[in-house]
Structure formats: C-alpha cells, structure tokens
Amino acid sequence: QVQLVESGGGLVQAGGSLRLSCAASGRTFSSAAMGWFRQAPGKDREFVSSITWSNSNTYYADSVKGRFTIAGDNAQNTVYLQMNSLKPEDTAVYYCAARKLMTNPYNYWGQGTQVTVSS
C-alpha cells in the first residue's frame, strides 16, 4: 500500500521558519496533484497549499499567501512546504495529501506532523 509520510514539524518561535517534507513510500507512485492541509484542535481540517504537476500551478490559502511556498518533484514523489514568518495561528497538525486525477478528491493522506508556533 502507498503511504505518504510527512516530516519537518516542530516547535518554533513566531517569525521563524520551518520546512515540511512529504514522500510517498513507493517509487512507482504517481499523482496529478499534491497538497498540504492542516487541522488545529477543535477546528475542521483546512486547505493550505497545493501543486498541480501537469502545469506546476500552485495554490495557497489566503492566510498563508506570501509566507508559505510549495514545491516538489513529481518524479521523486516528494513535496515540500517552506513556511516563513510563522505565526501562532499556524499551529496545527499538517497533513500531506495526494490525488491521482484532478477529478478525484484528495484521497491519499499522510499521518500528519505537528507544527507549534510560540509567541
């Protein structure tokens, strides 16, 4: 079975930076798009950012525009999220996700990595 595994989370002070990584367990895995979601306690999971491999289009939630950057390598089944100017409101569990077709929902998920931003 294909597994997505996130890494790079941790504790950082406000204004600091973190770089999250996500990798698929199998080298033969392919996807149409990959993205990042996050969930804070008591809140719904929300979209953060995504990249569409066919045209390298990227999308960002308004709350992270100008601060976060998504990048990756589809051939290596990896995606990254560079997070700068972190705020306490960014504290959440961050999940990597993938979909094989643009007409599919994001139905491949990682286990999540905790990001905590202190003030």
Side-chain angles (χ1 to χ4, degrees), residues 45-59:
R45 189 170 299 184
E46 65 175 347
F47 170 80
V48 176
S49 183
S50 66
I51 182 167
T52 301
W53 296 121
S54 62
N55 53 15
S56 297
N57 280 359
T58 58
Y59 301 88

Side-chain angles (χ1 to χ4, degrees), residues 21-81:
S21 300
C22 174
S25 60
R27 290 184 294 175
T28 59
F29 178 79
S30 63
S31 63
M34 297 183 71
W36 293 92
F37 294 73
R38 66 187 182 186
Q39 187 169 27
K43 298 182 65 177
D44 292 335
R45 189 170 299 184
E46 65 175 347
F47 170 80
V48 176
S49 183
S50 66
I51 182 167
T52 301
W53 296 121
S54 62
N55 53 15
S56 297
N57 280 359
T58 58
Y59 301 88
Y60 298 93
D62 288 343
S63 59
V64 306
K65 284 181 180 177
R67 301 188 298 120
F68 292 9
T69 303
I70 191 169
D73 186 340
N74 188 34
Q76 296 187 0
N77 303 306
T78 57
V79 66
Y80 308 95
L81 186 68

